[in-house]
Amino acid sequence: MKLAELIKKGAVGAQFASAPVEVLFGEVTKAKPLEITTESKLKLPQEFLVLCREVTDYEVDMTVNHITESSSGGSGYSAFESHKHGYFGRKKFLVHKALQVGEEVVMIRQQGGQEYIVIDRRAK
């Protein structure tokens, strides 16, 4: 490796070392559009946030195989009498995990401070 390349590599390393990754805590102050305020009162709008799966709504495919509970329609017709039926196969389910106002979160500030990765809710 040439001396110039070594110096350039060292300079890049020094730049990243001046802004290391940092763990932060914040509170959701707006849900739509999302805004999180850090403990130091910095307001972070949606465009600076990278959301992990644990803080968003998402769909999952699940395989189900069970019998429903007894229910009836109450109209008096025999088709609506109390009955059970099978419910099986591969189904999509929506998991509701989107952040709500007042929730506390754990974030990681990326090196350089341009984006904040919201990794989870803060345990209370």
Side-chain angles (χ1 to χ4, degrees), residues 9-71:
K9 189 174 180 180
V12 170
Q15 178 186 7
F16 285 129
S18 67
V21 172
E22 179 182 4
V23 175
L24 301 158
F25 297 101
E27 182 179 333
V28 178
T29 47
K30 288 184 187 172
K32 291 187 180 183
L34 184 61
E35 178 185 84
I36 296 175
T37 302
T38 66
E39 290 177 320
S40 64
K41 305 301 180 206
L42 174 64
K43 291 186 184 293
L44 300 170
Q46 177 87 40
E47 55 267 17
F48 290 98
L49 302 172
V50 177
L51 305 177
C52 290
R53 185 176 193 173
E54 281 302 305
V55 295
T56 61
D57 289 347
Y58 59 93
E59 284 188 341
V60 293
D61 284 332
M62 295 178 68
T63 301
V64 294
N65 185 6
H66 66 272
I67 304 294
T68 62
E69 294 180 8
S70 259
S71 63

Side-chain angles (χ1 to χ4, degrees), residues 72-119:
S72 62
S75 67
Y77 293 105
S78 61
F80 296 106
E81 288 180 13
S82 183
H83 69 281
K84 296 180 181 182
H85 63 272
Y87 182 73
F88 58 91
R90 191 173 175 146
K91 310 289 182 187
K92 281 191 184 280
F93 292 89
L94 178 63
V95 179
H96 300 278
K97 303 232 19 189
L99 292 169
Q100 304 296 319
V101 172
E103 289 187 302
E104 294 181 1
V105 295
V106 180
M107 299 179 290
I108 298 173
R109 182 182 56 82
Q110 285 186 330
Q111 216 161 18
Q114 296 302 311
E115 290 185 316
Y116 295 77
I117 303 167
V118 184
I119 58 173

